[in-house]
Amino acid sequence: MRGLSWKGAILWGLLMVPAVVVANTDDMSADERAEKLAEQQKNQTQTRTEGLSGEAASIVERLATDDWQAINDVVEDLEALAAPETLPVLQALSDRRLYFDERGRVLIEDPATGEYSDALTGETAEVSPENLSQPTLTNAIRRGIRPLIGQLQLFSDDVATRRAGAEELADRPRPEMLGRLQELRAEESNPEVLRLLNIAIARLQLDASDPEERLEAVEVIAEVRSARMKSELETLMETDAQGDPVEPDAAVREAARDALEVIEARQRTARFLGDLVYGLSMGSVLLLAALGLAIIFGLMRVINMAHGELLMIGAYTTFMVQNLFAVMAPQWFSFYLLAAIPAAFVVTALVGILMERGVIRFLYARPLETLLATWGISLILMQTTRVIFGAQNVRVASPEWFSGSVQLMQGVSLSTSRVGVIAFAFFVVALVWFVMNRTRLGLEVRAVMQNREMAAALGVSANRVDMWTFGAGAGVAGLGGVALSQIVNVGPELGQNYIVDSFMVVVLGGVGNILGSVFSALGLGVFSKFLEPVAGAVLAKILLFVAIIVFIQWRPQGIFALKGRAGDDD
Amino acid sequence: MSMVDTLRELGKRDEVFPFLQQAAPSPALDTRHGPILYVEGVTKSFDGFRALDDLTLYIDDGELRCLIGPNGAGKTTLMDVLTGKTRPDTGQAWFGQRLNLLELPEHVIAQSGIGRKFQKPTVFEQLTVFENLELAMHASRGLWTSLRWRLDGEQQDRIDEVLALISLTEQAYAPAGVLSHGQKQWLEIGSLLMQNPRLLLVDEPVAGMTGQETEKTAELLTSLAGKHSVVVVEHDMDFVRSIARTVSVLHQGSVLAEGSMDEIQSDARVREVYLGE
Amino acid sequence: MLMRQPFVMRLARLHSGFGWAVVLLLAAFALVVVPLLNQFLTPDSALYIPDWLVTLTGRFLCLALVALALDLIWGYTGILSLGHGAFFALGGYVMGMHLTHNRMEAGTIPNFIQFLGRDDWPWFWVPFQSFWFTAVMVFLVPGALALVFGFFAFRSRVRGVYFAIITQALTFASMLFFYRTETGFGGNTGLTDFRELLGFSVREADTRLVLFMLSAVAVLLSYLLCRYIVTSKLGRVLVAIRDAESRVRFTGYNPLRYKLFVWTVSAMLCGLAGALYVPQTGVINPGEMAPANSIEMAVWVALGGRGTLVGALVGAGTVNGLKTWITAAYPDLWLFVLGGLFIAVTLFLPKGVMGLREQITGRSKQ
Ligand SMILES: Nc1ncnc2c1ncn2[C@@H]1O[C@H](COP(=O)(O)OP(=O)(O)O)[C@@H](O)[C@H]1O
Ligand SMILES: [Mg+2]
């Protein structure tokens, strides 16, 4: 047994060289570009007009001025005109991306490319940035622009844009828009936009002098069960300084009370569901972190303390793939995550195989020594990463399709990455299940783990199977790393935070039982999510550990006991 | 009872509370009715597979009994049940009249006088042969006594005696791990002798022994009978014939037949299931 | 039969004559020679032992004590504990609480308690004002935790790697617990800024020298205690448990009591080590409970040689000496060295440095 461990370290280093070269030669710009690309794809605003003409053009032209009063007039005119094609101009004005040059051209900056386009023609314009000035804006003007943008967005054909507009108006409607909102409501077909419009209208009608109208507003609110109107309803129920109710009409007060009840009930359900899904997603993260361990520890009884570092390597591989994409194929940037999945699997599997061949295979009969040796490996991997990438966290940007949020139901929305992690966890579990139960490799693995001698007698090379099993377990840990890179900070110590948790999942689920790990991970996630508000995050975690320790007293084999003589002591 | 009384009760110095008492077995085993071991209706299944199936067996005090049966008949499992390693699903197992084996933990069963030799020889490999015997010696198993324990001359002699008996005098100070398979078997038997149990459960004692060694083991076991009760599990038919007075045949977890070796060999069912005819 | 023998006789038989000579020589060196060289020589003398070296060695002695404790449970009984960092830190916290009392003027309380919105000491802080109470708690707190935890773990026969993992979780949970500011132990800064102990300033070189000597005495006495345990029949039962626990049970011993005994003794020794360590470093914080620390302790014992008390002492000294030197000279290299040490020791030195001779002669025979 020659010391292959240092060879392992060197090879790992070599593996990373091409990626590091890319990372270091172009370090800042690769990083920045990744950030910008993600930003641009996230931001759905149009960055240029399609050309303006007639009255719109003549009003927009007048923006080329330093005089804030003139600008105020322009905004008022645009409001009166209410032309959807001026939307990019207003957005640029609001985001401070609108410029004019010495020739009086009005220009819009594209934040992603840094290009400028002429607001009137919509064409890219050659400009020298030193000649550009920005129109002067007061905060009051800016505040006025936002509902205007919202209103104009409502005319769009694109549902997402209409929804963004309605969202703005539902929060800050302007009384003078009431009539137009009602018209739009009559034409709207998308239920979500309709709902937001209703809220905006109801909000305005609550101030109406006619009690009938106010009653109608309250009823609309009750119907859409909007939590954001809760404080308005509560105001209706209050009494003023003289002890008189704020709302003079008893019927309206009655309706408001009912509406409040409905809303609160809905909020409770929403919170419960939200917690549940959030807990499931925390559980999925745990599961992804622990699954590799469940294979290595569960099937091979190898205590791999370097498991956390395999996660870390998976996450760093994702980082490298991201940088490679940003530099070499920016047009495909948003798909880097898909490419990172196989890459992380292969890289970590290779590291795992090196570990197994170099160190672990000499220690199969001595589990406690394996624990120490793999801990040593983990220190080396961690320090290697630190030397190559530095001790700080690196930036892994989520691609656009992975960074929004998903509305599960009204009032329950989760970030896409959280939901994506749940899906990814199921994908990985299914993959592992498939490999274990439907492939020759899986068959051989199960055979060797159950009875080495017998399997060897049947011509299965146990030695080789060990190597592949360890490699596969490590690869799955790498997949976990890909998922983690999207949710937590990626740094050299990433793995350390997950090693204890991962072991708890496996021990709780029953060693050697992958399905058990699935249930224990999801269970732990949900359990701790529900425990957190009661006990606080840290205490919840401590309680969980104590609970697991106690649980293991009661059922040392875990939730799902492995049957047979495997648990025997001699 | 008032709280004060409870406290007073707790404060009594001359009383040892039940929870502090070691489950100390009665020194004199009650075997007035003949049998030293009663096994009645014991069933144990593993995942639905019945390793022991309504097994009933009695061993008389001072008897030497052989248990035979095909592989997987449940012989080892029976020993596991008797020594507390495995708890049966149903049934009874009493040691003498009073000790319910199914309720006692392993070490208490051992202290009360049941010694066991495992199928796979297990000795303390890092300890010397001498120390192996010393640990097994019949004496207090308490923590504090072991901290201050010292062998006296008589005990020293007893160990030397056993060392001679199992022919390991020369290796007395070698770690048990370096012994050959047969020597380990004997060391384990020697440890059993040191323990001086009333009932010996011996699982396949002559596996891996030469003919001569086997003979010697047979002699040893026969000589033990009378003072001790001995239950021997063995596959080696010649060996069984050489020591057995009564033989019980186990099959599929229950006793198929019982009698002298000749009776067993002429039993048609036994021939069918065991002797393969 | 239990033979009554004078305790002194039993003690005398702990070592051969030569062994005793070495032990006494080392003791004399630590307790007489070092103080003399430190106190009566001037810094320009070649044999002068500077104050910082005294303090450093004093700390190493505490860590050696931890190694001794770990060896008792791991080396002899075969139970790898990754919880000794927690016991060590608990001992340290107990002492730290007393030192914190000492640094506060009467009637005032430390900031981290004020931040909790209190204006008096919480109940669990109050008794630590007394040195003697503290001295007892140094043993009792880690001992009680070990006793309760060990009872449940050993009773349900959790062993081997499972035990190691569970003790790691215990350490991790304790670390989280102490990191919380609301727990009342100073959160992540921990307890620091100590001034005096029994009226002596803990920052004075002279006090440090006395602490060093106390640590030396603690190591000496603990060594003799461990030696007493492992050379008794109890020690042989421990080794037997390590080899074949179920066999021990079928021989009539109850492993639970034996394991619980050494486990608790081991935890208490760790507590003592922590208590002596803290006034010499001047700080105790939850970082001491990081799982990594506990695993590092294992490599001290593994390097020196499991199952030999001297090996544990040698291992702790070597690794910590190396660590002090390398982290100062080549900070980036330390983790590589430590990681390499873990791997090299497990692969090539299963019996540690102490087993090296046996390993070499054993090999050449084959
Ligand atoms: N702990 C256990 N778990 C599952 N099956 C067991 C266990 N112990 C024994 N068995 C099964 O019970 C049957 C009887 O085994 P055993 O008592 O060892 O037979 P033998 O008569 O050869 O000693 C075997 O089929 C064995 O597989
Ligand atoms: Mg058998």
Side-chain angles (χ1 to χ4, degrees):
Chain A
M1 52 186 183
R2 264 157 278 121
L4 267 176
S5 59
W6 56 269
K7 286 191 196 164
I10 289 176
L11 259 159
W12 164 226
L14 284 182
L15 266 175
M16 296 309 281
V17 163
V20 172
V21 170
V22 173
N24 284 343
T25 49
D26 205 8
D27 198 14
M28 282 311 288
S29 69
D31 224 25
E32 257 167 36
R33 219 178 292 186
E35 202 170 322
K36 269 195 173 173
L37 280 167
E39 187 93 355
Q40 178 190 3
Q41 274 149 347
K42 187 157 55 179
N43 208 340
Q44 281 188 340
T45 53
Q46 274 173 279
T47 52
R48 57 179 63 195
T49 63
E50 278 153 13
L52 299 174
S53 57
E55 198 178 346
S58 63
I59 300 175
V60 167
E61 240 171 6
R62 283 162 39 211
L63 276 171
T65 169
D66 278 337
D67 178 1
W68 66 265
Q69 263 164 344
I71 305 249
N72 198 25
D73 294 343
V74 173
V75 173
E76 267 168 25
D77 290 349
L78 282 174
E79 187 166 0
L81 180 70
E85 61 266 30
T86 58
L87 198 52
V89 179
L90 286 164
Q91 269 165 342
L93 191 61
S94 164
D95 297 348
R96 290 192 170 283
R97 288 186 286 107
L98 194 90
Y99 300 86
F100 60 91
D101 66 2
E102 75 285 0
R103 287 191 279 147
R105 285 190 299 175
V106 178
L107 299 158
I108 297 174
E109 184 198 0
D110 183 333
T113 59
E115 283 181 353
Y116 295 87
S117 63
D118 191 312
L120 296 188
T121 62
E123 269 149 30
T124 304
E126 288 300 317
V127 294
S128 38
E130 64 269 19
N131 292 332
L132 296 182
S133 1
Q134 283 198 312
T136 317
L137 277 187
T138 63
N139 278 337
I141 298 177
R142 196 200 294 273
R143 268 200 300 279
I145 296 175
R146 268 191 242 127
L148 179 55
I149 293 176
Q151 192 191 351
L152 292 182
Q153 280 175 327
L154 285 176
F155 292 101
S156 165
D157 289 335
D158 178 31
V159 174
T161 313
R162 285 211 305 282
R163 192 165 130 195
E167 191 83 48
E168 169 69 33
L169 292 178
D171 279 342
R172 280 176 289 271
R174 293 221 308 233
E176 61 271 26
M177 287 178 179
L178 184 57
R180 195 166 282 152
L181 286 176
Q182 278 163 335
E183 283 164 37
L184 283 166
R185 175 169 66 175
E187 287 164 20
E188 184 55 57
S189 56
N190 181 286
E192 183 56 28
V193 180
L194 198 59
R195 194 177 150 266
L196 290 165
L197 284 177
N198 271 325
I199 294 172
I201 292 168
R203 197 186 285 271
L204 293 174
Q205 282 186 332
L206 270 186
D207 297 329
S209 51
D210 177 6
E212 280 296 312
E213 235 173 275
R214 290 206 300 276
L215 190 62
E216 192 187 327
V218 171
E219 274 160 5
V220 168
I221 292 170
E223 194 176 321
V224 300
R225 289 181 278 191
S226 161
R228 67 180 102 196
M229 299 300 291
K230 215 173 130 189
S231 62
E232 274 83 353
L233 291 177
E234 274 159 357
T235 319
L236 288 183
M237 319 265 299
E238 280 166 10
T239 50
D240 60 18
Q242 284 78 44
D244 297 325
V246 171
E247 170 58 53
D249 190 278
V252 177
R253 284 204 303 272
E254 185 76 10
R257 186 173 307 119
D258 292 348
L260 257 182
E261 252 164 45
V262 173
I263 289 173
E264 271 162 8
R266 183 186 183 90
Q267 269 183 322
R268 275 192 299 274
T269 332
R271 199 172 315 127
F272 176 81
L273 271 179
D275 281 357
L276 188 67
V277 180
Y278 193 89
L280 277 180
S281 96
M282 272 169 63
S284 304
V285 174
L286 264 184
L287 176 58
L288 283 166
L291 203 56
L293 197 69
I295 294 171
I296 290 175
F297 181 35
L299 294 179
M300 307 178 71
R301 299 298 150 99
V302 168
I303 299 290
N304 180 20
M305 295 300 272
H307 175 75
E309 279 55 48
L310 294 176
L311 294 172
M312 186 259 301
I313 290 171
Y316 269 93
T317 309
T318 314
F319 168 69
M320 299 280 43
V321 171
Q322 164 202 268
N323 285 357
L324 279 176
F325 266 66
V327 173
M328 320 233 288
Q331 68 275 30
W332 299 110
F333 180 77
S334 53
F335 297 105
Y336 87 83
L337 204 50
L338 297 182
I341 292 172
F345 185 90
V346 170
V347 171
T348 44
L350 278 178
V351 175
I353 287 174
L354 282 173
M355 275 167 65
E356 203 272 343
R357 290 288 93 181
V359 178
I360 291 167
R361 74 179 156 128
F362 304 110
L363 300 172
Y364 279 130
R366 299 186 280 156
L368 288 178
E369 269 93 336
T370 318
L371 188 155
L372 296 181
T374 49
W375 177 259
I377 296 176
S378 99
L379 292 182
I380 291 176
L381 290 177
M382 205 157 43
Q383 189 64 6
T384 309
T385 313
R386 226 177 255 137
V387 168
I388 300 176
F389 295 97
Q392 306 81 17
N393 293 338
V394 296
R395 238 194 85 86
V396 178
S398 295
E400 155 263 325
W401 51 270
F402 209 61
S403 58
S405 66
V406 179
Q407 188 165 41
L408 297 178
M409 62 176 274
Q410 188 194 324
V412 188
S413 56
L414 279 174
S415 61
T416 314
S417 54
R418 290 250 162 228
V419 180
V421 161
I422 299 181
F424 187 56
F426 276 94
F427 162 73
V428 176
V429 169
L431 191 73
V432 170
W433 182 87
F434 180 81
V435 172
M436 288 303 293
N437 291 302
R438 288 283 182 277
T439 63
R440 171 87 196 163
L441 176 67
L443 184 68
E444 290 189 356
V445 169
R446 282 179 295 145
V448 169
M449 300 316 153
Q450 269 164 29
N451 192 334
R452 282 187 94 77
E453 289 78 30
M454 181 80 97
L458 292 174
V460 177
S461 160
N463 203 346
R464 198 176 48 89
V465 169
D466 282 338
M467 183 178 95
W468 287 120
T469 314
F470 200 92
V476 170
L479 297 183
V482 177
L484 286 179
S485 75
Q486 300 296 308
I487 309 184
V488 299
N489 293 330
V490 178
E493 272 109 41
L494 168 76
Q496 296 285 303
N497 300 327
Y498 283 91
I499 181 77
V500 178
D501 291 17
S502 303
F503 271 114
M504 289 297 109
V505 166
V506 176
V507 170
L508 185 62
V511 176
N513 187 323
I514 291 177
L515 194 67
S517 297
V518 173
F519 281 106
S520 76
L522 295 181
L524 282 179
V526 172
F527 192 64
S528 56
K529 181 64 206 166
F530 280 100
L531 207 58
E532 255 172 39
V534 189
V538 179
L539 209 56
K541 184 146 198 173
I542 296 172
L543 286 178
L544 220 53
F545 275 137
V546 174
I548 291 174
I549 292 172
V550 171
F551 176 82
I552 286 170
Q553 310 302 321
W554 168 58
R555 238 190 121 90
Q557 331 82 328
I559 309 175
F560 297 88
L562 254 203
K563 309 251 169 78
R565 275 181 156 161
D568 258 19
D569 45 286
D570 25 28
Chain B
M1 203 196 292
S2 79
M3 186 111 124
V4 182
D5 285 341
T6 319
L7 279 178
R8 206 166 282 150
E9 201 70 14
L10 279 172
K12 275 189 198 163
R13 297 216 169 178
D14 50 348
E15 197 144 307
V16 182
F17 305 107
F19 64 88
L20 287 178
Q21 267 169 344
Q22 287 225 34
S26 55
L29 210 55
D30 184 357
T31 55
R32 272 170 301 172
H33 295 275
I36 192 170
L37 183 71
Y38 301 76
V39 181
E40 290 172 352
V42 167
T43 299
K44 171 75 197 174
S45 44
F46 296 104
D47 310 330
F49 170 77
R50 292 196 168 193
L52 293 180
D53 190 1
D54 196 18
L55 180 129
T56 299
L57 186 75
Y58 302 97
I59 307 289
D60 280 333
D61 195 11
E63 185 186 352
L64 170 62
R65 175 75 64 94
C66 276
L67 273 186
I68 61 173
N71 258 328
K75 305 177 299 278
T76 303
T77 308
L78 173 63
M79 300 211 159
D80 287 348
V81 166
L82 296 180
T83 51
K85 187 174 179 212
T86 302
R87 299 289 177 204
D89 308 328
T90 57
Q92 300 270 332
W94 293 80
F95 187 39
Q97 300 282 311
R98 288 204 210 107
L99 284 182
N100 183 351
L101 292 177
L102 304 187
E103 282 177 356
L104 301 175
E106 292 107 314
H107 65 276
V108 177
I109 292 178
Q111 283 167 16
S112 67
I114 296 185
R116 173 174 184 184
K117 190 204 129 341
F118 287 86
Q119 186 166 349
K120 183 176 138 233
T122 45
V123 293
F124 305 125
E125 311 223 325
Q126 304 283 321
L127 294 177
T128 63
V129 171
F130 187 91
E131 288 168 336
N132 264 279
L133 294 179
E134 185 197 359
L135 280 195
M137 175 169 277
H138 182 75
S140 159
R141 259 64 167 135
L143 181 75
W144 300 110
T145 34
S146 72
L147 198 55
R148 289 156 57 206
W149 164 268
R150 207 183 158 199
L151 281 178
D152 61 18
E154 205 177 306
Q155 290 165 327
Q156 195 97 29
D157 293 347
R158 172 80 187 129
I159 295 182
D160 289 341
E161 203 180 299
V162 171
L163 277 173
L165 192 63
I166 56 175
S167 322
L168 288 174
T169 310
E170 295 209 345
Q171 288 89 348
Y173 296 100
V178 304
L179 299 182
S180 73
H181 188 81
Q183 285 175 321
K184 281 184 189 166
Q185 296 266 45
W186 266 357
L187 177 54
E188 210 180 344
I189 295 175
S191 302
L192 265 190
L193 295 177
M194 294 302 305
Q195 246 175 291
N196 199 20
R198 286 292 298 272
L199 171 65
L200 286 83
L201 305 174
V202 190
D203 205 347
E204 308 204 8
V206 297
M209 283 191 183
T210 63
Q212 210 185 354
E213 286 170 333
T214 307
E215 233 166 79
K216 204 171 152 196
T217 311
E219 222 172 89
L220 185 64
L221 289 176
T222 343
S223 76
L224 288 174
K227 261 185 296 167
H228 311 265
S229 316
V230 186
V231 177
V232 184
V233 165
E234 192 44 72
H235 278 298
D236 185 333
M237 275 307 170
D238 293 332
F239 178 78
V240 172
R241 194 191 309 277
S242 69
I243 61 166
R245 290 151 217 181
T246 321
V247 176
S248 301
V249 182
L250 245 62
H251 177 56
Q252 294 182 349
S254 48
V255 178
L256 183 71
E258 212 164 85
S260 72
M261 196 62 195
D262 293 332
E263 284 165 10
I264 292 297
Q265 271 174 329
S266 53
D267 189 306
R269 287 171 307 164
V270 176
R271 296 184 83 91
E272 191 183 325
V273 304
Y274 189 55
L275 303 172
E277 283 165 32
Chain C
M1 262 280 93
L2 189 69
M3 224 165 77
R4 298 272 158 213
Q5 54 170 335
F7 184 66
V8 187
M9 291 272 292
R10 174 72 176 81
L11 264 190
R13 286 189 304 117
L14 285 184
H15 275 296
S16 62
F18 176 72
W20 270 115
V22 174
V23 170
L24 293 178
L25 219 61
L26 284 173
F29 181 75
L31 297 176
V32 181
V33 179
V34 171
L36 286 180
L37 294 183
N38 173 259
Q39 293 286 304
F40 293 103
L41 291 185
T42 46
D44 45 345
S45 161
L47 288 176
Y48 174 71
I49 297 183
D51 294 340
W52 63 264
L53 190 58
V54 171
T55 303
L56 187 70
T57 321
R59 269 188 236 152
F60 281 10
L61 283 172
C62 297
L63 300 178
L65 183 49
V66 173
L68 214 51
L70 189 60
D71 196 22
L72 202 55
I73 188 76
W74 184 31
Y76 285 91
T77 324
I79 300 170
L80 175 57
S81 157
L82 299 181
H84 271 46
F87 299 136
F88 178 77
L90 279 179
Y93 264 103
V94 167
M95 180 53 82
M97 285 166 84
H98 178 64
L99 293 172
T100 306
H101 268 291
N102 287 352
R103 90 177 151 91
M104 302 308 300
E105 314 232 318
T108 60
I109 53 166
N111 285 342
F112 60 82
I113 293 180
Q114 277 172 20
F115 285 145
L116 299 181
R118 321 182 46 114
D119 47 14
D120 57 346
W121 295 97
W123 61 268
F124 52 88
W125 270 87
V126 175
F128 287 94
Q129 206 142 14
S130 148
F131 175 77
W132 297 111
F133 180 81
T134 307
V136 174
M137 283 300 137
V138 160
F139 295 98
L140 280 197
V141 171
L145 176 64
L147 191 69
V148 172
F149 179 84
F151 176 75
F152 286 111
F154 296 141
R155 195 191 55 148
S156 52
R157 303 195 182 166
V158 177
R159 272 198 288 265
V161 290
Y162 298 90
F163 188 80
I165 292 171
I166 296 200
T167 50
Q168 190 185 34
L170 172 78
T171 316
F172 196 65
S174 335
M175 180 179 78
L176 292 179
F177 184 71
F178 277 85
Y179 262 127
R180 288 174 82 236
T181 324
E182 305 87 73
T183 313
F185 296 107
N188 50 6
T189 9
L191 309 176
T192 184
D193 193 23
F194 304 134
R195 306 239 162 92
E196 47 183 51
L197 179 58
L198 290 175
F200 300 99
S201 162
V202 289
R203 297 169 189 186
E204 290 291 314
D206 287 355
T207 318
R208 289 289 171 92
L209 180 64
V210 173
L211 283 171
F212 159 80
M213 289 163 70
L214 280 177
S215 308
V217 171
V219 171
L220 178 68
L221 292 183
S222 308
Y223 171 76
L224 293 178
L225 172 71
C226 293
R227 182 84 193 164
Y228 183 86
I229 291 176
V230 301
T231 53
S232 68
K233 183 177 149 195
L234 196 155
R236 293 191 280 285
V237 176
L238 297 182
V239 174
I241 289 174
R242 186 183 72 191
D243 279 356
E245 185 171 343
S246 65
R247 173 82 222 179
V248 172
R249 225 176 268 129
F250 292 117
T251 314
Y253 295 91
N254 184 2
L256 172 65
R257 307 178 113 231
Y258 287 82
K259 284 156 90 174
L260 207 51
F261 172 74
V262 273
W263 169 246
T264 311
V265 167
S266 179
M268 288 180 163
L269 290 180
C270 263
L272 173 64
L276 287 168
Y277 188 77
V278 163
Q280 300 187 62
T281 44
V283 59
I284 174 75
N285 59 36
E288 285 298 338
M289 296 187 185
N293 281 12
S294 296
I295 301 185
E296 204 180 310
M297 291 167 182
V299 93
W300 304 343
V301 178
L303 176 70
R306 273 169 287 162
T308 59
L309 296 173
V310 177
L313 298 176
V314 169
T318 314
V319 178
N320 284 298
L322 262 181
K323 183 177 183 172
T324 311
W325 170 53
I326 296 179
T327 45
Y330 315 98
D332 276 350
L333 273 188
W334 168 239
L335 283 183
F336 287 121
V337 173
L338 186 62
L341 214 53
F342 270 107
I343 297 168
V345 167
T346 45
L347 283 185
F348 307 118
L349 286 180
K351 291 186 172 151
V353 176
M354 297 310 280
L356 207 52
R357 214 181 64 197
E358 188 190 330
Q359 211 180 335
I360 291 167
T361 52
R363 252 189 211 161
S364 60
K365 256 185 230 158
Q366 280 170 1

